[in-house]
Amino acid sequence: MTYRNYLVPLTLVLYLFSTQLFATHSAVEKYDGTVNSFRWLKSPLKVSEVQIHDNEGNPVTLSQFKDKIVLLNIWASWCTPCIRELPSLDRLQSRLGGENFVVVAVSLDNIPDLARELFFDRLSIKQMKFYLEPADKLSQVFPIDVLPASFLINRNGEAIGLLRNYVEWDDPLTDTLIKRLV
């Protein structure tokens, strides 16, 4: 067998291992697949000046969402649970998004056009805008050692809660939580 014959199986094994690795969270973090799994921060984390980029590459700071509750979701195209979660995040934006609440989904992918085309377009994501930022930049502020990672940000630009795993955003508990925060 040649080197190339081993490359495909090895790549597949590494991919499967990496998706499981990134979908795992700490044993001390409770997780039930709902927003009940949010871990509320003892001290809010100031994130209003964190910069991300929109679909055209323009810089956007989180302060531009001032006066809104923000659900910041960090995902990547190589993260299977992240991709599974995107459609329900889009439906959440459709249900509750507006002047008081917004879902901001940020891709960590190095090839944004590919991530947008393969996932946003293929999954028919219509309500959320596409944002991106390299992991090394976001990890300076947010603990993103596990993907997907979601952060609730209050109207003052402070992260007040985090949840590091897949969530079913169509659960009625989600709407109750968001409406309570709004």
Side-chain angles (χ1 to χ4, degrees):
M1 263 185 141
T2 67
Y3 167 76
R4 290 179 187 211
N5 292 346
Y6 289 106
L7 188 59
V8 171
L10 178 61
T11 303
L12 180 61
V13 167
L14 290 173
Y15 172 77
L16 293 173
F17 175 73
S18 70
T19 59
Q20 291 304 312
L21 176 68
F22 282 98
T24 306
H25 54 85
S26 169
V28 299
E29 290 182 61
K30 67 179 183 167
Y31 175 71
D32 68 359
T34 73
V35 295
N36 282 334
S37 299
F38 262 104
R39 190 174 76 192
W40 301 103
L41 302 177
K42 292 177 185 170
S43 299
L45 177 65
K46 189 72 172 166
V47 296
S48 60
E49 295 310 312
V50 170
Q51 183 174 282
I52 57 178
H53 289 83
D54 67 15
N55 193 37
E56 288 80 37
N58 300 313
V60 175
T61 60
L62 294 179
S63 64
Q64 289 179 259
F65 302 104
K66 186 180 179 191
D67 297 328
K68 291 186 181 195
I69 300 297
V70 175
L71 176 63
L72 177 73
N73 178 267
I74 300 172
W75 66 282
S77 63
W78 40 262
C79 167
T80 303
C82 299
I83 301 310
R84 180 178 164 206
E85 186 176 56
L86 285 173
S88 68
L89 283 164
D90 195 51
R91 290 187 296 273
L92 175 62
Q93 175 64 29
S94 180
R95 277 192 324 274
L96 301 178
E99 65 182 60
N100 293 311
F101 174 73
V102 65
V103 176
V104 176
V106 181
S107 169
L108 299 179
D109 288 285
N110 293 327
I111 306 172
D113 290 340
L114 183 63
R116 190 193 70 253
E117 289 171 20
L118 287 178
F119 297 101
F120 255 54
D121 295 348
R122 190 180 118 241
L123 295 170
S124 297
I125 303 298
K126 302 290 185 211
Q127 302 302 315
M128 294 187 302
K129 292 184 180 176
F130 182 81
Y131 295 97
L132 61 133
E133 193 63 32
D136 62 331
K137 301 282 187 190
L138 287 179
S139 66
Q140 293 175 12
V141 179
F142 297 104
I144 54 172
D145 54 331
V146 175
L147 291 178
S150 297
F151 300 86
L152 272 172
I153 301 170
N154 67 18
R155 295 175 189 276
N156 298 324
E158 301 167 324
I160 57 173
L162 70 100
L163 197 160
R164 299 178 310 164
N165 212 318
Y166 168 84
V167 172
E168 182 52 61
W169 298 102
D170 294 318
D171 188 304
L173 291 172
T174 301
D175 292 12
T176 301
L177 172 67
I178 300 302
K179 287 175 182 176
R180 191 176 317 144
L181 291 170
V182 168

